[in-house]
Structure formats: C-alpha cells, structure tokens
Amino acid sequence: MEQMLGAFQSDLSSISSEIRTLQEQSGAMNIRLRNRQAVRGKLGELVDGLVVPSALVTAILEAPVTEPRFLEQLQELDAKAAAVREQEARGTAACADVRGVLDRLRVKAVTKIREFILQKIYSFRKPMTNYQIPQTALLKYRFFYQFLLGNERATAKEIRDEYVETLSKIYLSYYRSYLGRLMKVQYEEVAEKDDLMGVEDTAKKGFFSKPSLRSRNTIFTLGTRGSVISPAELEAPILVPHTAQRGEQRYPFEALFRSQHYALLDNSCREYLFICEFFMVSGPAAHDLFHAVMGRTLSMTQKHLESYLVDCYDAIAVFLCIHIVLRFRNITAKRDVPALDRYWEQVLALLWPRFELILEMNVQSVRSTDPQRLGGLDTRPHYITRRYAEFSSALVSINQTIPNERTMQLLGQLQVEVENFVLRVAAEFSSRKEQLVFLINNYDMMLGVLMERAADDSKEVESFQQLLNARTQEFIEELLSPPFGGLVAFVKEAEALIERGQAERLRGEEARVTQLIRGFGSSWKSSVESLSQDVMRSFTNFRNGTSIIQGALTQLIQLYHRFHRVLSQPQLRALPARAELINIHHLMVELKKHKPNF
C-alpha cells in the first residue's frame, strides 16, 4: 500500500508539473496572438492607406470634375497622399511601391482642377447686367483649392493670382461703366458757387418757385430727399441707369451716391466672405487679399467722389451722403465684414470738410449781406430767413437720426449770423412797431418750419421760441401804448406810490383819473377794433396774429383790473367818476367778441 501510494503521489507531482508547463505555454501563445493581431491591424491600416483602389484611379482619370464621384475620390486621393507622406517620414519602404501611381494621379487631378477653376474665372469676364459676379458658384468646389494648397502650392498660387487679377479688372471695369452711366441721370440743375443763403433772391431764379416736373431738386429745402436714408430706401435695389434714361427720370446726387455705394457694399461683402471661405484665409491675410481684388475699384470710386466734391455746393446732398456712409458702415459691421472700415473712413474724410466748407460759405454770405442792398423793406418773412429755416430744419431732422456734435456747432454759428441779419434788417425800419412786426414774422416763420421737422426740445426751437415770446410781449406793449398809454402810465405810477406808502399823493390826481375813466369808456371799443385789424394786417401767420390779439386783450383786462384796484384806495374811493367805471366782467364778455376765430 505504501509503495502504491508513493507511486500515486509521484504521478500527481508530474501531472502538476505538466499543468504548469501547459499554462506557461498557453500564456506565451496568447501573447504571440495579441502581438500578431496588433501587427495585423497596423499592417492592415498601412496597406489600406497605401493601396490605390481601381475606383479612385478611374474617377481621377476619367470622371469630369463636376461629378460628385470625382470630388469623393479626390478627397480619398488627398487622404492617401497625406498617409504616404506620413509613412515616408517614418521610413516605411512600402511607400515606394505606390508613390509613382499617386504622383501620376495627383498630377492628373491638379491639371483637371486647374483647367476647371481657370475656366470658371474666365467665365466671369462675360458681360453682367446686374453688376454682380457669380463667384459664389465656386464655393461648392472649395475643396479643389484646398487640395491644390496641400499638394501643389505653385498651382494654388497661380489660381489665386489669376483670380485676383481677373476680378480686379472686372470690378474696376463694371464700376467705372456703372458710375459713368449713373451720373448721366443726375439732375441737370445743381447747386452752384453763387447759390448761397445770403445771395439776393433775383440772383438765382427758382429758389422757392414750384420746381419743374423734370427736376424737383432744391437747394435749401429737404422735401422728400430725406427718404434716401430711410430703412426702406437705404437697402433698396440699385438704380438701373438705362431704365431711368428711358423713363427720363432724374435723381439728386445723394440717390446716385446711395445706389453706387450700396452696389459696392453688397459686392464687397460677398467678395470678402467668398475669399475667406474659398481661399481659407482670415484676419490680416483676408484683408490683404480683399484689397488686392477690390483696391483699384475702391480707389477709383474715391477719386471720382473727390473730383465731384470740388464743384459741389449742395450741403444737404453732402450731409445725406455722410449719413448714408454712417448707416452703410453699421451694415458692414453687422455682416462682420471689417475690410471696408478704412474705405468708409476715407469717404467721410472727404465729405465732412466739404460739408463744413459749404456751411461756412453760407454763414459768410449771411454775415456779409447788406440790408440796404436788398431793395424795398417789407415786414413779411424775409427770403433769407426762409432759406435758413428750411435749411436748418433739414439738417436738424437728418442729424436727429444719428446725432453729431460737429453738425450742431456749425448750425449754431449759422443761427447766430441769421439772428444778427434779422436784427440788421429790422433796424432799417423807422418805427419800433414795424421793427417788432418784422422780427415776430421772421421768428414765427423760422419756428414753424423748424417744428415741422425738428424735435420740440431742440436747441434751435427753444432759442427761437424765447426770441418770439420776448418780441411778442414787447409788441403787445407797443400796440397798447397809443390808445391806452395814459392808463398804463397812471397805473404804474399809482402802484409805485402805494408800494412806497405814499398813497396820499393820489388825492391830487382826481381830474386825471376822471379823464382816464371817461376816455376809456368812450373809446375802448373802437380802439380794440382798430388794434385787431392792425394785428391781422401785420402778421402773415393767422394763428400767430390770433395769439397776439389774445395776448393784447388779456393784458388789457389785467391793466383795467389793476386800475380798479388803484381806484379802490381810500384816497380815490369817493371820486364821483368811479360810477362810470366799466364792470370788469362786462369788459371781459365784450372783449371775447373780438377774439378771432378760425
């Protein structure tokens, strides 16, 4: 039994040893399997990356570039070329087997892409009727350029240079032609050097006469011209010159400026976004490439504007152009196209000085105007103040949309000169009453025109309102002086004596007071009637005349009420003539009958 058990134990020991050996062999086999699988995966990737399938060869060699399968296989070729370059860098010998095939396919693809893109670029040279170049059609082939950039940089540069050269010439040609045609539909009658605010009315006929049907452009009046900066018209379709010529339509300069620059803005935004996407550039590189394409066109447009402004004397047109640029600058910012920022600044640098010069010329013309050379005097609103009112209200209403302090300062200078001019003309009248009538008529007219367009709280409106109120009050006193001057003088004297505590001195005024009571009672109706007729004859604005009459009658009632209070003093209370005083309420009822009605 002992021998049998010993043999059994020995057998178990050998079996255990065999199991351990088998386990070690199994582990080693697993490691070899994993290693072989890893090698197989790596080799599989390498082989897949290097093997050139027949579908790729067929598509690159035979398929037209416009077919989807050409684009798909081109992307595959690009990936294989990149993989081969990577493996070559690692020293993979198998790359030599496929390098020749890939090079031949790459050359063929580059040749076909080059011919296709160049043909597309050359096709842009065909005449376009809408001044828009269809370069965006190339965007669906933008991978072609990406392929060239990665595989044949010389060809990519050739295509980019050809694109820049061709598009630069096309844009320049289109815009030079468009600009020439556009200027032919401008109004024939434009502002000239002598069309200034202070020039005599006879020097330029038609300042305020009804414009002809062919030309509605005026020099100092805004009219409907301000609509060019409204959202609806600002981005409206561009003007088509030959259509306008057929219809014998004419436009002011700002409408032509808007059309020209909206076409420029639209094409520039499209061009910039296309360049960024197709040529895969951004930042300063995109800016430089854009200006290589559009630079000559922008320079030509800028020079044309500069030459036009030399002989431009239409301040409203220039100011509207400034506001068009300010709005277009905002549009390009919203479209995220910074490439035009410098151009807008250069255009504004041309427009602002010209606008300031024209305004200064108008200021100087008003300053140097001699009232004695203007012919016969007339208390109605002067044509120079009417021009100022129309002109100022036009600029204020435009400026309110995008406020600018420089404009307000210039208008302030003009306002000062016009106020001084009105005072110089008023001084030519012999009587103070006529001077006041002239001043009130002019202030009222200017205020009325300004309030139609400017905000009620604008500086101009506030200033003329104060001037009008002051002169109106003075005129009412001047108006009441002839018929009721004695009454006014007595009331002021009596109130001063009462205030100083010297009311006893009123006892010596019984005869004067009696005369005043009886004189007022007998003549106030005819005096008020005469006063009303005089006012309505003097003032061109019926509403203003009505307001002055109302103010005069109100002041007369207040004067008579003060007269009653003076006569109620103990020193004059026993005066017999007090019985002849007109009842204040009766006077008010009677005066209401003289209040003019519309």
Side-chain angles (χ1 to χ4, degrees), residues 104-119:
R104 288 193 294 274
L105 289 174
R106 180 180 59 80
V107 170
K108 183 64 175 178
V110 167
T111 304
K112 291 175 74 171
I113 290 171
R114 177 183 174 279
E115 290 177 0
F116 173 74
I117 295 180
L118 288 178
Q119 283 178 358

Side-chain angles (χ1 to χ4, degrees), residues 201-217:
D201 204 15
T202 53
K204 176 74 177 176
K205 62 180 180 179
F207 265 134
F208 301 106
S209 60
K210 185 178 179 181
S212 65
L213 292 175
R214 184 172 53 85
S215 168
R216 294 191 177 276
N217 190 9

Side-chain angles (χ1 to χ4, degrees), residues 370-387:
D370 183 0
Q372 294 181 347
R373 294 177 54 196
L374 297 177
L377 292 171
D378 193 330
T379 58
R380 291 176 297 180
H382 199 276
Y383 60 83
I384 290 180
T385 57
R386 182 173 293 280
R387 291 175 188 170

